[in-house]
Amino acid sequence: MKIIMLGAPGAGKGTQAKKIAEKYNIPHISTGDIFRANIKNGTELGKKAKTYMDQGALVPDELVVDLVVDRVAQDDAKNGFVLDGFPRTIPQAEALDAALSKINDKVDYAIDVDVPDENIINRMSGRRACVACGGTYHIVYNPTKTEGICDACGGKLILRDDDQPETVKNRLKVYHEQTQPLIEYYSKKGILKSVDGTQDMAEVFQCIVDILEV
Ligand code: AP5
């Protein structure tokens, strides 16, 4: 089961991707998480990526594509994966298709989590991320047991730098210009599935399970 999550920043891709990965025992591959881990570890890739991420811009394709192509070729991804945050441009989608077709494989589902822009700013200002494990919560919709502390690892929760309202506005603009065309790309391939991402998290997940288990 090879799955791509599509949707605006804050639509809930990461939330749902983690649940899919757990239920179907496939790796969750998030390019945003990979970049944030590199930033935390002070790597060259992290330094480069940070300059784009802080502005709400996309990291250039050449810094992303090889990294993902290598990752999906690893043993644990042989029976499937859920890609979260990749592809984000048509060239990234084409590179993924080319890499999979070399091994006679293809993406099975592109799941678009559809949430209107007006809901996004509210979601992002309430999101909190764990500095230690990257877990994400929401102060209203998915609160932790103890305020400011990650349920999973006890790490400190922060508002991500790129979740400031001005940066979110730019991320939405970039999404509409560069990532939304992927909806048509996967629709033409006949593998696009849309779910209403404004429902509560459990309902969104049930809609996804219904799609995957038809
Ligand atoms: P990335 O980390 O991928 O950010 P994003 O796509 O903008 O997505 P988010 O992680 O912000 O949101 P999400 O949809 O996963 O929502 P979540 O589940 O957290 O990328 C960050 C940056 O890295 C990019 O801007 C770019 O610079 C760079 N980058 C990454 N990949 C790249 C690539 N391929 N090419 C180039 N650059 C790349 O949910 C959001 C909040 O809402 C949470 O608080 C959650 O608890 C809450 N929530 C979720 N679902 C619901 C619900 N149903 N109801 C109520 N609240 C909900």
Side-chain angles (χ1 to χ4, degrees), residues 8-15 31-32 35-36 52-53 56-59 64 84-86 88 92 123-124 126-128 136-138 141-142 160 162 171 197 199-201 204:
K13 303 180 296 295
T15 301
T31 42
F35 288 136
R36 282 184 287 277
Y52 298 95
M53 290 169 75
L58 293 185
V59 174
V64 192
D84 162 19
F86 185 98
R88 257 185 156 94
Q92 290 183 14
R123 278 205 190 169
M124 304 301 245
R127 173 163 60 184
R128 295 294 179 269
T136 49
Y137 302 89
H138 191 282
Y141 307 121
N142 183 22
R160 259 167 53 179
D162 61 346
R171 287 165 64 193
Q199 307 171 91
D200 77 35
M201 291 172 205
V204 177

Side-chain angles (χ1 to χ4, degrees), residues 20 63 86 100 120 194:
I20 295 170
L63 293 181
F86 185 98
L100 291 174
I120 296 288
S194 274

Side-chain angles (χ1 to χ4, degrees), residues 24 109 193 207-214:
Y24 298 103
Y109 300 95
K193 306 284 174 190
C207 290
I208 294 174
V209 170
D210 290 347
I211 289 167
L212 301 178
E213 296 188 356
V214 157

